[in-house]
Amino acid sequence: EVKLMKIKVRLFATLRDGRDKEVMVEEAEGRTCRFVIQQLDISEEDVAILLVNGRDAGLEHVLHPEDVVSIFPPVGGG
């Protein structure tokens, strides 16, 4: 039996284009940040900063129920 967990994903700046700024996703337990990003159709190159519960995390970070994932794109400028 697959246990599902609820994860809140907060998107910032250009990642909000065509998406809500906050998304609730249900994933199987043991999923990583990379899997969630793929499910939201965000390319890894578009992820500059990844936080889980306010702490720096990587794509292979294993998520737990009720985690909050914040995704920031690279900052443009010129």
Side-chain angles (χ1 to χ4, degrees), residues 31-34 50 52 56-64 67:
R31 293 287 194 203
T32 62
C33 291
R34 174 176 275 122
L50 186 61
V52 176
D56 198 30
L59 291 172
E60 296 307 316
H61 181 92
V62 176
L63 296 167
H64 300 284
D67 276 352

Side-chain angles (χ1 to χ4, degrees), residues 23-72:
V23 184
M24 288 298 293
V25 295
E26 272 196 327
E27 295 294 351
E29 285 191 4
R31 293 287 194 203
T32 62
C33 291
R34 174 176 275 122
F35 185 85
V36 170
I37 288 167
Q38 290 169 347
Q39 293 300 102
L40 294 173
D41 200 30
I42 297 171
S43 75
E44 292 178 20
E45 298 81 52
D46 289 338
V47 179
I49 300 172
L50 186 61
L51 304 176
V52 176
N53 302 325
R55 293 173 175 252
D56 198 30
L59 291 172
E60 296 307 316
H61 181 92
V62 176
L63 296 167
H64 300 284
E66 310 302 322
D67 276 352
V68 178
V69 178
S70 300
I71 308 171
F72 296 82

